[in-house]
Amino acid sequence: MVEWTDFERATIQSIFSKMDYDDVGPAALSRCLVVYPWTQRYFGNFGNLYNAAAIQGNPMVAAHGKTVLRGLDRAVKNMDDIKATYAELSVLHSEKLRVDPDNFRLLADCLTIVVAARMGADFTADVQRAFQKFLAVVVSSLGRQYH
Amino acid sequence: MSLTAKDKKMVKAFWAKVAGKAEDIGCDALSRMLVVYPQTKTYFSHWKDLSPGSAPVRKHGGTIMGGISLAVASIDDISAGLLSLSELHAFQLRVDPANFKILSHNILVVLAVLFPKDFNPEAHVAMDKFLAAVGRALSEKYR
């Protein structure tokens, strides 16, 4: 089981309670598709992903970004059992969506960058450490059911 | 994943915007690395103070940014430009190359914190590729 310090719990709750999911979700996903273009392989039916401008303006990307962030909210609300919380989503990503779990790490990195940009100086080294620890647990849990 | 002409242009343009804060960037990136990836502290056991923003951290952050600056100036042949740094890392420092990725990530985080508008996805991908190329050049002589 993951041990969370009081600082880590408070930090994660604070970041997500102040976050605009409808802004951050689309920003993180579109950044991921630009910075790691091979991730586009999962979005063949999303239409125009030809360049950064197209990706950032694509409404299906935006909608899916929001979906992903709302999914992340489940972990925020269940920090003491993220593994169980994501068991079903892990099976979904493995069996049905067939997403290489390394992509979770890539998206997590982009989310870190977006949150850093939004928070500015408030995204201190200690906050970064807590945030990256949280995302590492999420990434691990989403990859858990792959076989 | 080599640098295209577009990448090089973007890196040079972005670096021109941020170079004025190079020391701050280096100091903050190194500070974050030591806090968020504590295993990296093993390379600095000879420093008195490893806390964020300490004197040795700031000084070394500046040194690292000097190397990055040199890489920007040598962007058409980073391996050649960083030859002596490459030998230094291979034969004396022997930093595990996995750490270049870790430091690069922290540099990108600092760029996002300090330049939220300018560090857009296109700047991000160019800088990520560039820092990866620098890491490759630095580990060139390892074996």
Side-chain angles (χ1 to χ4, degrees), chain B residues 107-121:
Chain B
I107 291 173
L108 296 178
V109 168
V110 172
L111 294 176
V113 166
L114 293 178
F115 306 98
K117 294 251 165 7
D118 289 315
F119 195 61
N120 56 32

Side-chain angles (χ1 to χ4, degrees), chain B residues 28-86:
Chain B
D28 196 6
L30 196 55
S31 299
R32 284 172 188 274
M33 185 184 82
L34 296 168
V35 165
V36 181
Y37 302 87
Q39 70 273 20
T40 58
K41 292 192 288 187
T42 56
Y43 290 97
F44 304 105
S45 48
H46 57 289
W47 285 356
K48 275 204 176 71
D49 185 357
L50 287 165
S51 58
S54 71
V57 170
R58 175 161 284 277
K59 179 162 179 259
H60 196 60
T63 301
I64 293 174
M65 286 296 119
I68 304 274
S69 234
L70 176 60
V72 175
S74 320
I75 204 165
D76 288 318
D77 193 346
I78 299 178
S79 293
L82 295 190
L83 185 58
S84 51
L85 274 176
S86 182

